[in-house]
Amino acid sequence: RIVTQNVDNLHERAGSSEVLHLHGELMKVRSTGPGAEVFELQPDACEVKSGDCCPKGFQLRPHIVWFGEAVPEIEPAIRIVSEADILLIIGTSLQVYPAAGLMHYAPADCPIYYIDPHGGGMLPARVKHIAKKASEGLQDFRKLMGL
């Protein structure tokens, strides 16, 4: 399963089916009304404008989390990480919370790998840091896993 901070749909376009978008999705909009209902963005629409309303008449907004807003998908993300057999972290500086803290929910016996060419200084001791860019680091990870 994939937990991503990205708001694009690149994981789905690459064929992934179990993707949790922690910070929302640009191809969706949500109502500002009670319940914050989520809708697919119309294929011919490339933006949400003032006056674009849901069927109940409430203004629509992009279905993404702005800085300072709560992250509504954090609890499902915690559940996913807490059930992991292996946790692989790629493409993040681990500077943005609460996402950066998700690794702490991994089971005690779950191996954790972090692929990043720079980070690694303040990682918990159980995290194996692969200090390479994603594509090269994934090759090293595959070798470690015997794949």
Side-chain angles (χ1 to χ4, degrees), residues 15-45:
S16 300
S17 58
E18 291 191 52
V19 181
L20 180 110
H21 289 269
L22 195 60
H23 293 143
E25 299 175 68
L26 281 177
M27 301 310 295
K28 294 183 179 179
V29 292
R30 73 172 177 252
S31 170
T32 56
E37 295 172 280
V38 177
F39 305 92
E40 294 289 328
L41 188 62
Q42 296 303 313
D44 58 337

Side-chain angles (χ1 to χ4, degrees), residues 15-112:
S16 300
S17 58
E18 291 191 52
V19 181
L20 180 110
H21 289 269
L22 195 60
H23 293 143
E25 299 175 68
L26 281 177
M27 301 310 295
K28 294 183 179 179
V29 292
R30 73 172 177 252
S31 170
T32 56
E37 295 172 280
V38 177
F39 305 92
E40 294 289 328
L41 188 62
Q42 296 303 313
D44 58 337
C46 59
E47 63 183 330
V48 180
K49 298 184 247 31
S50 180
D52 291 345
C53 296
C54 74
K56 295 179 182 175
F58 294 99
Q59 175 67 45
L60 292 172
R61 61 165 278 182
H63 180 53
I64 59 171
V65 175
W66 302 115
F67 282 103
E69 289 183 327
V71 178
E73 295 295 329
I74 196 67
E75 291 299 323
I78 289 170
R79 277 193 298 281
I80 289 169
V81 172
S82 70
E83 297 169 357
D85 295 320
I86 298 171
L87 183 61
L88 178 59
I89 304 166
I90 309 171
T92 178
S93 63
L94 293 175
Q95 299 298 306
V96 178
Y97 283 83
L102 283 171
M103 75 173 89
H104 301 293
Y105 292 94
D109 61 344
C110 173
I112 302 173

